[in-house]
């Protein structure tokens, strides 16, 4: 399945629109990671555990969006956007949404 | 009284640790960013969503890059002092700069790995994992994404 954040895919026409599909996730790491982040915070620098967390959250949100697109019978999701919210501390909240379409 | 002195000592030690390690890590990080930016200079990042007509046979693929970077203890202390008087928080400005550039670089690396040399419609999103509500972690989380056009041989 093609995922793109362009509205128009070069060289391809959109045959059918299915409307919005979305996927969201809230993930957190175990307490040890939070503790390590607290320590790292004294020295500054990249918080690898949280970077991983963000990456996992993104992958999961996209995966869920894909599943939804598959369920409606689309073969691509265009104009994808990511959005974040903040429910609680130490958790990554990611929301991915886009238009499910059929490309020729 | 003794406990109070102890707390001051701990605070000073943390400030010193933050100052030296923070400066060292930031310098190293900036050097690595500049080096990798030069290496990846031929991967163009374009904020426009319109591709040119000659790209019609190139498949598009979404690429992403993300990073979480925290500020050190010393800089947070400086920022706290600064916010009493107001004005530019330079210590946080470099943090944001590092995070954005690093996220874009990671996205470019992903694009290069799939043999693309242009990324269209780049968007930057700032997340909040460690919301600084209780003041224990000051960090910035950046997610960069765009559509890479893959060169088909």
């Amino acid at each position: 399945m093609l995922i793109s954040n362009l509205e128009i895919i070069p060289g391809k026409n959109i045959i059918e629109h299915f409307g919005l599909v979305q996927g969201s996730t809230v993930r957190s790491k175990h307490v040890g990671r939070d503790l390590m982040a607290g320590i790292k915070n004294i020295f500054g620098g990249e918080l690898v555990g949280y970077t991983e967390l963000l990456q996992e959250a993104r992958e999961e949100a996209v995966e869920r969006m894909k599943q939804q697109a598959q369920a409606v019978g689309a073969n691509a999701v265009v104009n994808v956007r990511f959005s974040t919210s903040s429910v609680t501390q130490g958790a990554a909240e990611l929301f991915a949404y886009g238009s499910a379409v059929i490309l020729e | 009284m003794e406990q109070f002195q102890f707390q001051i000592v701990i605070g000073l030690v943390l400030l010193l640790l933050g100052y030296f390690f923070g400066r060292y890590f930031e310098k190293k990080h900036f050097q690595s960013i500049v080096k990798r930016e030069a290496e990846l200079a031929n991967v163009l990042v374009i904020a426009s969503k319109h591709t040119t007509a000659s790209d019609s046979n190139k498949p598009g693929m979404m690429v992403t890059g993300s990073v979480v970077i925290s500020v050190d203890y010393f800089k947070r202390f400086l920022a706290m002092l600064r916010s009493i008087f107001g004005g530019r928080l330079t210590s946080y400005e470099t943090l944001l700069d590092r995070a954005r550039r690093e996220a874009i670089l990671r996205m470019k690396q992903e694009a290069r790995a799939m043999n693309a040399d242009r990324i269209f419609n780049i968007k930057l999103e700032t997340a909040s994992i460690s919301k600084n509500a209780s003041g224990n972690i000051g960090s910035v989380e950046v997610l960069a994404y765009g559509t890479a056009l893959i060169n088909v041989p």
Side-chain angles (χ1 to χ4, degrees):
Chain A
M1 177 169 296
L2 195 136
I3 306 283
S4 168
N5 77 335
L6 291 175
E7 281 165 42
I8 303 150
I9 305 299
K12 283 182 180 162
N13 290 327
I14 292 169
I15 300 175
E16 201 177 337
H17 273 281
F18 289 106
L20 196 73
V21 284
Q22 49 186 291
S24 68
T25 181
V26 180
R27 288 180 76 103
S28 73
K29 282 275 182 195
H30 53 86
V31 188
R33 283 290 198 193
D34 292 338
L35 215 72
M36 280 304 290
I39 294 169
K40 196 76 205 277
N41 204 234
I42 297 167
F43 308 113
E46 183 177 352
L47 305 176
V48 185
Y50 281 164
T51 305
E52 252 168 46
L53 176 64
L54 198 60
Q55 221 153 346
E56 283 167 12
R58 191 187 68 222
E59 275 158 21
E60 191 162 328
V62 170
E63 196 47 51
R64 287 187 184 168
M65 186 180 67
K66 267 189 191 172
Q67 277 170 9
Q68 221 180 75
Q70 246 152 18
V72 295
N75 70 356
V77 184
V78 295
N79 210 2
V80 172
R81 294 281 181 274
F82 286 111
S83 176
T84 52
S85 53
S86 51
V87 181
T88 169
Q89 244 191 76
E93 305 96 27
L94 235 103
F95 176 51
Y97 59 101
S99 313
V101 295
I102 285 187
L103 291 178
E104 66 177 359
Chain B
M1 189 62 201
E2 231 166 55
Q3 206 178 6
F4 185 63
Q5 279 174 338
F6 181 69
Q7 274 179 348
I8 288 187
V9 168
I10 289 269
L12 279 175
V13 168
L14 285 182
L15 276 181
L16 280 175
L17 276 177
Y19 179 69
F20 287 109
F21 280 97
R23 247 170 77 115
Y24 173 71
F25 285 137
E26 189 181 73
K27 213 173 134 193
K28 239 176 75 172
H29 192 207
F30 265 124
Q31 279 170 351
S32 124
I33 285 177
V34 168
K35 193 173 144 241
R36 279 180 298 152
E37 268 178 352
E39 272 170 17
L40 290 163
N42 61 348
V43 180
L44 284 182
V45 179
I46 300 155
S48 153
K49 58 188 168 196
H50 300 292
T51 54
T52 49
S54 58
D55 295 325
S56 59
N57 57 349
K58 292 180 181 172
M61 183 77 178
M62 193 145 90
V63 285
T64 49
S66 53
V67 70
V68 182
I69 292 187
S70 84
V71 72
D72 60 66
Y73 196 83
F74 180 74
K75 286 197 161 188
R76 256 189 314 143
F77 181 72
L78 270 192
M80 201 184 72
L81 282 185
R82 174 63 69 136
S83 57
I84 298 172
F85 307 106
R88 283 177 62 181
L89 300 178
T90 337
S91 53
Y92 281 157
E93 281 177 354
T94 55
L95 178 74
L96 280 168
D97 185 40
R98 276 163 73 190
R100 295 234 164 85
R101 282 162 82 176
E102 178 71 39
I104 291 174
L105 276 174
R106 287 184 183 179
M107 184 185 66
K108 279 185 173 182
Q109 264 159 2
E110 201 183 315
R112 152 100 33 111
M114 50 176 74
N115 193 25
D117 57 11
R118 272 174 308 158
I119 304 170
F120 279 92
N121 205 10
I122 180 192
K123 302 270 182 231
L124 286 162
E125 174 78 33
T126 320
S128 51
I129 296 172
S130 48
K131 199 116 171 46
N132 204 12
S134 66
N136 46 19
I137 292 181
S139 70
V140 61
E141 298 103 39
V142 177
L143 168 65
Y145 58 106
T147 300
L149 292 186
I150 300 165
N151 295 317
V152 189

